[in-house]
Amino acid sequence: LVNASRVIEGEGTPEEAWEGWDIPLHVPSVSFGDLVAPDERLVVIAPHPDDEILGTAGLLRAAHAAGRAVALLAVTDGEASHPGSTLYRPEQLALVRQQESEAALRTLGLAVEAMRFGLPDGKVSAHEVELVGLVAGLIRRGDVVVTTWELDGHPDHEATGRAVRAAAVLVGVRCLAAPIWTWHWSDVGDARVPWDRAVRLDLSPEDADAKADALLQHRSQLEADPTTGRGPILPPWARARLLRNFEVFFR
Ligand SMILES: [Zn+2]
């Protein structure tokens, strides 16, 4: 279970507050080559379709531009994002979100096809041992793996973060963690966030634009659902925290 201090509710810490704190002042910039060496393959492991965009679109673009091999592993198909909805039923969502993910990757300019594990959305922690085995079977020495941070606040993000780190230790590869919902529940300068291990990758204007365009492909996450009365999964204030001109990773 996720610790009560990392619960995602309300609108979270506004991006204006993060801007006021000035993340680049506290988190050093690194080059793409510092994150992924010339002979390394970049493997991004996303709990839900869209996490690869929210956390790593700029890193993926940089890898592609540098001619690095890229692989994407999709842990769930994101079928649980609209409980009770008649607009999006779970079996439809699994297909819709897969298509959205493919469109988003095309928008980024990447020709990469995700390998899908199909674990149940919302219940990754119940399959954590299985996930360690799946990931360990697909990564190899010479990879750098990037996934969601194991204290990110969303149960699937945390379970995926733990499982991928365990697999990375087993295989002997480096693991980077991308905070996503962390920006929601944490406060500026929050002592629960490992700022001493944080680095940032600055995005060119072109890469930042491509990231924003790619996120627009995830329409199911951006629109309100009139059949449940719920607002979008990613309302504007959540998107603002994730469409910065840099991405942060914990080493
Ligand atoms: Zn997610």
Side-chain angles (χ1 to χ4, degrees):
L1 277 177
V2 170
N3 186 294
S5 71
R6 300 194 297 276
V7 166
I8 299 157
E9 58 188 9
E11 297 188 9
T13 303
E15 179 61 3
E16 294 72 29
W18 287 111
E19 285 172 356
W21 188 61
D22 197 359
I23 294 168
L25 195 67
H26 299 273
V27 174
S29 163
V30 293
S31 70
F32 168 73
D34 291 330
L35 295 175
V36 186
D39 53 351
E40 283 181 321
R41 176 177 71 154
L42 173 64
V43 181
V44 171
I45 303 172
H48 311 106
D50 77 3
D51 289 319
E52 71 276 22
I53 299 299
L54 298 171
T56 68
L59 183 67
L60 283 165
R61 286 262 299 184
H64 181 68
R68 300 288 202 283
V70 172
L72 175 62
L73 309 181
V75 176
T76 80
D77 293 328
E79 73 277 6
S81 65
H82 289 63
S85 174
T86 54
L87 177 65
Y88 290 117
R89 298 177 197 280
E91 61 277 13
Q92 288 173 295
L93 264 176
L95 187 61
V96 164
R97 298 197 66 186
Q98 182 178 334
Q99 291 166 344
E100 289 172 346
S101 176
E102 288 166 0
L105 291 167
R106 280 198 301 275
T107 300
L108 278 190
L110 270 79
V112 55
E113 199 170 319
M115 176 168 291
R116 320 200 78 81
F117 295 162
L119 294 186
D121 184 8
K123 298 189 175 72
V124 175
S125 67
H127 297 263
E128 211 168 307
V129 174
E130 182 186 353
L131 182 56
V132 175
L134 285 167
V135 173
L138 288 166
I139 60 175
R140 54 181 188 247
R141 275 175 193 269
D143 287 345
V144 55
V145 296
V146 186
T147 193
T148 47
W149 184 37
E150 62 194 82
L151 298 176
D152 196 42
H154 187 298
D156 286 347
H157 288 208
E158 299 202 351
T160 300
R162 288 189 301 264
V164 170
R165 184 171 51 83
V169 169
L170 276 174
V171 178
V173 305
R174 287 190 304 115
C175 186
L176 301 173
I180 293 178
W181 288 106
T182 302
W183 306 113
H184 179 113
W185 58 258
S186 69
D187 300 317
V188 295
D190 200 309
R192 296 168 293 174
V193 176
W195 301 110
D196 56 332
R197 291 193 285 121
V199 293
R200 77 173 204 274
L201 178 70
D202 288 319
L203 273 54
S204 69
E206 294 75 20
D207 287 353
D209 286 348
K211 179 172 183 168
D213 289 345
L215 186 57
L216 290 178
Q217 301 295 332
H218 287 277
R219 280 176 52 189
S220 68
Q221 308 301 296
L222 305 178
E223 296 172 351
D225 183 347
T227 72
T228 60
R230 288 195 199 97
I233 310 294
L234 291 172
W237 58 85
R239 301 204 290 274
R241 289 186 290 253
L242 295 161
L243 292 176
R244 300 165 175 153
N245 57 3
F246 56 87
E247 290 171 349
V248 170
F249 302 97
F250 302 135
R251 296 213 255 212

Coordinates of all heavy atoms in Angstrom, one line a residue, residues 46-52 54 76 97 121 148 152 154 156-157 180-181, ligand 1:
A46 N 6.9 1.3 -18.8 CA 5.8 2.2 -18.5 C 4.7 1.4 -17.8 O 4.2 0.5 -18.4 CB 5.2 2.9 -19.7
P47 N 4.3 1.8 -16.6 CA 3.2 1.1 -15.9 C 1.9 1.3 -16.7 O 1.1 0.3 -16.8 CB 3.0 1.8 -14.6 CG 4.3 2.6 -14.4 CD 4.9 2.8 -15.7
H48 N 1.6 2.5 -17.3 CA 0.4 2.7 -18.1 C 0.8 3.4 -19.4 O 1.8 4.1 -19.4 CB -0.5 3.7 -17.3 CG -0.8 3.3 -15.9 ND1 -0.2 4.0 -14.8 CD2 -1.5 2.3 -15.4 CE1 -0.6 3.4 -13.7 NE2 -1.3 2.3 -14.0
P49 N 0.0 3.1 -20.4 CA 0.2 3.9 -21.7 C 0.1 5.4 -21.4 O -1.0 5.8 -21.0 CB -0.9 3.4 -22.6 CG -1.4 2.1 -22.0 CD -1.2 2.3 -20.5
D50 N 1.0 6.1 -21.6 CA 1.2 7.6 -21.4 C 2.3 7.9 -20.5 O 2.9 9.0 -20.5 CB -0.1 8.4 -21.0 CG -0.6 8.3 -19.6 OD1 0.1 7.6 -18.8 OD2 -1.6 8.8 -19.3
D51 N 2.7 7.0 -19.6 CA 3.8 7.3 -18.6 C 5.1 7.4 -19.4 O 6.0 8.2 -19.0 CB 3.9 6.2 -17.6 CG 2.8 6.2 -16.6 OD1 2.4 7.3 -16.2 OD2 2.3 5.1 -16.2
E52 N 5.2 6.7 -20.5 CA 6.4 6.9 -21.3 C 6.6 8.3 -21.9 O 7.7 8.8 -22.1 CB 6.5 5.8 -22.4 CG 5.6 5.9 -23.6 CD 4.2 5.3 -23.3 OE1 3.8 5.2 -22.1 OE2 3.4 5.0 -24.2
L54 N 4.8 11.1 -20.5 CA 4.9 12.0 -19.4 C 6.3 12.1 -18.7 O 6.7 13.2 -18.4 CB 3.9 11.6 -18.3 CG 2.4 11.6 -18.7 CD1 1.5 11.0 -17.7 CD2 1.9 13.0 -19.1
T76 N 0.9 -2.5 -18.1 CA -0.5 -2.7 -18.2 C -1.0 -2.0 -19.5 O -0.3 -1.2 -20.1 CB -1.3 -2.1 -17.0 OG1 -1.4 -0.7 -17.2 CG2 -0.6 -2.4 -15.7
R97 N -6.2 2.8 -25.5 CA -4.9 3.3 -24.9 C -3.7 2.8 -25.6 O -2.7 3.5 -25.8 CB -4.9 3.1 -23.4 CG -6.1 3.8 -22.7 CD -5.9 4.0 -21.3 NE -4.8 4.9 -21.0 CZ -4.3 5.1 -19.7 NH1 -4.8 4.4 -18.7 NH2 -3.3 5.9 -19.5
D121 N -4.3 -3.4 -14.8 CA -4.1 -2.0 -14.4 C -4.7 -1.8 -12.9 O -5.8 -2.3 -12.7 CB -4.9 -1.1 -15.4 CG -4.8 0.4 -15.1 OD1 -4.0 0.7 -14.2 OD2 -5.5 1.1 -15.8
T148 N 9.1 4.4 -13.7 CA 8.6 5.3 -12.7 C 9.3 5.1 -11.3 O 9.7 4.0 -11.0 CB 7.1 5.1 -12.6 OG1 6.8 3.7 -12.4 CG2 6.3 5.6 -13.8
D152 N 6.5 7.0 -6.1 CA 5.8 8.1 -6.9 C 4.4 8.4 -6.5 O 3.9 9.4 -6.9 CB 5.8 7.6 -8.4 CG 5.5 8.8 -9.4 OD1 6.1 9.9 -9.1 OD2 4.7 8.6 -10.3
H154 N 1.5 6.7 -7.0 CA 0.5 5.8 -7.7 C 0.9 4.4 -7.4 O 2.1 4.0 -7.7 CB 0.4 6.1 -9.2 CG -0.7 5.3 -9.8 ND1 -0.7 3.9 -9.9 CD2 -1.8 5.7 -10.5 CE1 -1.8 3.6 -10.5 NE2 -2.5 4.6 -10.9
D156 N 0.6 1.5 -8.9 CA 1.2 0.8 -10.0 C 2.6 1.4 -10.3 O 3.5 0.6 -10.7 CB 0.4 0.9 -11.3 CG -0.9 0.0 -11.2 OD1 -0.9 -0.9 -10.4 OD2 -1.8 0.2 -12.1
H157 N 2.8 2.7 -10.2 CA 4.1 3.3 -10.4 C 5.1 2.8 -9.4 O 6.3 2.6 -9.8 CB 4.0 4.8 -10.4 CG 3.3 5.4 -11.5 ND1 3.5 6.7 -12.0 CD2 2.3 5.0 -12.3 CE1 2.7 7.0 -13.0 NE2 2.0 5.9 -13.2
I180 N 6.7 11.2 -11.6 CA 5.5 11.7 -12.4 C 4.5 12.3 -11.4 O 4.3 13.5 -11.4 CB 4.9 10.6 -13.3 CG1 6.0 10.2 -14.3 CG2 3.6 11.0 -13.9 CD1 5.6 9.0 -15.2
W181 N 3.8 11.4 -10.6 CA 2.9 12.0 -9.7 C 3.5 12.6 -8.5 O 2.9 13.3 -7.7 CB 1.9 10.9 -9.2 CG 0.9 10.5 -10.3 CD1 0.9 9.4 -11.1 CD2 -0.1 11.3 -10.8 NE1 -0.1 9.5 -12.1 CE2 -0.7 10.7 -11.9 CE3 -0.7 12.6 -10.5 CZ2 -1.8 11.2 -12.6 CZ3 -1.7 13.1 -11.2 CH2 -2.3 12.4 -12.2
Ligands
ZN1 ZN 0.7 5.9 -14.9

